[in-house]
Amino acid sequence: MQSNPMQAQDITAVRGAFLDFTGDPFRCNERDSVRYVKDGLLVLKGGKVEAFGDYGTIAPQYQGISITEYPEKLIIPGFLDIHVHYPQTEIIAAYGEQLLTWLERYTFPTEAKFHDEDYARQIATIFLDELLRNGTTTALVLTTIFPQSVEVLFEEADRRNMRMIAGQVWMDRNAPDFLTNTAINSYQQSREQIERWHNRGRQLYAITPRFAITSTDHELQLAGKLKAEFPDVYVHTHLSENAQEIAYTAELFPDTQDYLEVYEKYGLVGDRSIFAHGLHLSESEFQRLSQAGATIAFCPTSNLFLGSGLFKLHRAKSIDSPVKVGLASDVGGGTSFSMLHTMSDAYKITQLQRQNLSSFKAFYLATLGAADSLSLSDKLGNFDLGKEADFTVLDLHATPLMTLRNGTVPAASLDVLEAQLFGTMILGDDRTIAATYVAGKPLYQNPSLLGEV
Ligand SMILES: [Zn+2]
């Protein structure tokens, strides 16, 4: 079929080696979940995938369109980071504390600065640029208690046409006065933001009580009421991260049997609920999360950095009662925006528990698995036709050591590819990102590679 000239102007394409997933490698023979097209063509129209497959098959159907070629690279779906605090961008790598004292000493004073809209916009800009520099195209983001910190993030994400999920942070106790809001204000402000931003362009909203400790019963009640009024918005909070936090939560909510029940009691646990960490969950809590279809955000660099604990990935992804899991940076408790670094620490956490994590599983957890955990796998996560064209071009030869380790690219077989991906997740970082595309447009190109393409 020959495209007509008008169409050809709207249609572009990218040629190279492609990897994505069409299933969950934790639930089938891993290789059956992998789609590897060594010389592929991804045809883009209106920010979406118009066609995808072998170059030799697809190219004749789209003669005359502009094609960008990425030889010796690997093109994958854009990474999703399903739990990250944009206001903490500047306190990444803050020394020496565990969760509750880290919040008091570093986080709360920094979040107070987001009262200033100009400042908030400056950090939102740096944050979004940093995501793109690391190949991340979608994130589930915490802001602060200040409505202006939410507005500027949505405005900047909308300007870049990036799919973001975010919401105002609710805190009405156990935080400094300068960082608490009343429950009714949080409710009303979030309600207005849902009406303004949820499903506007690519933006989506999450009701975001910080965690049980910083919300009264009344505030959690209002959060549940808001969720009931807008069932398709997300709920985003923290769960079972740190031993002290868990003990304090039990004191504050003496009539609940465990941490998860605090959120269950207020109608906050469902298939669009994302709980960061979940490190010290009981078997009953895992089973209830599974039944509810809720998600755990696995934040390896943060869990190690704050000394919080080791996530039981293999329990969460068990065949009998699986819980949805996506990878997350949790910056600034996490130490890197790079989902490659995040995979590397995820691997080490499984090793400390006498388990392991294959490269295919790790890349799945940062792409299609993460999209599925956000109920967005109909829009994001792989190169299926009609999906939003967010993708990342990886340079598996980003450093001399990676060139030595990874050998010839593209890989000749799935065995070689699996080994290259593992080398890349252990050795890679922002230098590995050659380009990042959002809705079919290149929003980031690695300056050191500009001459090559
Ligand atoms: Zn967090």
Side-chain angles (χ1 to χ4, degrees):
M1 183 184 74
Q2 179 77 45
S3 311
N4 72 42
M6 277 305 287
Q7 249 184 349
Q9 285 175 7
D10 307 333
I11 300 180
T12 57
V14 172
R15 181 182 184 181
F18 291 84
L19 163 76
D20 69 347
F21 297 87
T22 55
D24 181 346
F26 288 88
R27 300 187 70 74
C28 64
N29 181 344
E30 260 184 61
R31 300 295 171 94
D32 295 340
S33 71
V34 177
R35 177 164 55 185
Y36 177 50
V37 184
K38 198 177 162 198
D39 181 12
L41 192 69
L42 180 69
V43 181
L44 310 167
K45 185 183 177 190
K48 294 189 172 164
V49 176
E50 171 78 4
F52 174 58
D54 279 314
Y55 178 83
T57 310
I58 305 289
Q61 302 169 31
Y62 292 92
Q63 286 172 18
I65 62 171
S66 154
I67 298 178
T68 305
E69 302 206 358
Y70 287 102
E72 297 179 23
K73 303 286 184 291
L74 181 68
I75 304 168
I76 63 169
F79 293 129
L80 293 89
D81 180 346
I82 74 160
H83 176 76
V84 58
H85 300 247
Y86 100 81
Q88 296 174 14
T89 301
E90 67 177 291
I91 53 151
I92 192 168
Y95 172 75
E97 304 291 349
Q98 296 214 342
L99 177 66
L100 298 182
T101 40
W102 176 83
L103 284 171
E104 238 167 75
R105 183 166 171 196
Y106 298 112
T107 307
F108 290 155
T110 304
E111 291 190 7
K113 297 199 241 171
F114 287 71
H115 184 259
D116 175 350
E117 184 178 324
D118 291 343
Y119 183 77
R121 190 179 301 278
Q122 183 196 337
I123 300 295
T125 299
I126 293 170
F127 169 78
L128 293 172
D129 288 350
E130 199 60 28
L131 291 183
L132 292 170
R133 271 174 24 77
N134 283 282
T136 300
T137 48
T138 283
L140 174 56
V141 188
L142 288 98
T143 60
T144 69
I145 66 155
F146 305 112
Q148 53 272 38
S149 71
V150 184
E151 290 301 314
V152 297
L153 180 71
F154 276 132
E155 284 171 18
E156 292 301 322
D158 190 45
R159 192 199 309 279
R160 291 162 177 77
N161 200 19
M162 291 173 78
R163 190 173 274 292
M164 285 290 130
I165 314 173
Q168 184 169 313
V169 170
W170 297 27
M171 291 199 277
D172 72 342
R173 68 165 162 181
N174 292 324
D177 288 347
F178 58 78
L179 214 57
T180 50
N181 200 348
T182 62
I184 191 70
N185 272 349
S186 295
Y187 168 83
Q188 282 167 349
Q189 289 161 347
S190 287
R191 199 175 199 291
E192 283 165 20
Q193 290 157 8
I194 290 169
E195 285 172 341
R196 187 157 51 256
W197 286 109
H198 188 59
N199 285 319
R200 173 162 152 195
R202 301 184 76 194
Q203 309 312 308
L204 295 167
Y205 199 83
I207 301 164
T208 313
R210 178 175 220 116
F211 61 166
I213 289 176
T214 45
S215 287
T216 58
D217 287 81
H218 177 52
E219 180 158 277
L220 292 173
Q221 246 167 33
L222 286 177
K225 175 173 149 62
L226 190 58
K227 170 67 180 168
E229 288 174 62
F230 297 94
D232 74 326
V233 304
Y234 294 86
V235 172
H236 182 201
T237 187
H238 298 86
L239 171 70
S240 196
E241 177 177 3
N242 164 289
Q244 262 184 307
E245 170 219 12
I246 295 165
Y248 192 19
T249 302
E251 260 177 59
L252 292 170
F253 297 91
D255 58 342
T256 53
Q257 57 163 341
D258 54 35
Y259 198 155
L260 183 63
E261 197 187 329
V262 176
Y263 298 131
E264 286 171 334
K265 204 171 137 186
Y266 299 103
L268 296 171
V269 183
D271 65 358
R272 285 181 176 234
S273 301
I274 291 87
F275 298 99
H277 309 299
L279 299 182
H280 309 284
L281 297 174
S282 64
E283 179 54 27
S284 161
E285 287 172 301
F286 271 118
Q287 285 185 14
R288 280 143 54 208
L289 285 168
S290 171
Q291 281 155 17
T295 288
I296 299 176
F298 176 19
C299 311
T301 71
S302 170
N303 298 159
L304 294 174
F305 183 69
L306 293 176
S308 303
L310 305 176
F311 178 57
K312 299 179 188 76
L313 177 64
H314 292 79
R315 166 59 194 91
K317 294 293 291 181
S318 71
I319 296 291
D320 292 341
S321 54
V323 178
K324 292 188 292 189
V325 175
L327 278 181
S329 71
D330 193 28
V331 164
T335 52
S336 175
F337 279 94
S338 169
M339 295 314 288
L340 298 170
H341 273 173
T342 304
M343 291 178 204
S344 171
D345 278 4
Y347 175 77
K348 293 164 195 165
I349 283 173
T350 61
Q351 285 283 67
L352 283 166
Q353 300 173 87
R354 300 285 177 269
Q355 300 279 349
N356 57 36
L357 177 65
S358 73
S359 58
F360 287 143
K361 285 177 174 167
F363 275 78
Y364 168 80
L365 288 175
T367 56
L368 184 63
D372 184 51
S373 80
L374 298 175
S375 305
L376 287 175
S377 55
D378 59 329
K379 297 183 174 67
L380 301 174
N382 67 12
F383 298 117
D384 281 355
L385 301 192
K387 287 210 184 176
E388 297 169 3
D390 293 347
F391 55 94
T392 295
V393 183
L394 299 180
D395 177 12
L396 307 191
H397 292 163
T399 65
L401 187 60
M402 286 179 72
T403 304
L404 176 71
R405 167 66 176 78
N406 283 334
T408 304
V409 175
S413 68
L414 277 188
D415 281 341
V416 175
L417 178 66
E418 184 175 20
Q420 284 182 347
L421 285 176
F422 190 69
T424 301
M425 72 187 230
I426 300 299
L427 299 172
D429 53 31
D430 55 318
R431 290 170 295 180
T432 311
I433 309 303
T436 306
Y437 281 68
V438 171
K441 296 214 164 67
L443 288 202
Y444 170 74
Q445 306 228 41
N446 190 325
S448 68
L449 296 168
L450 276 181
E452 284 190 22
V453 177

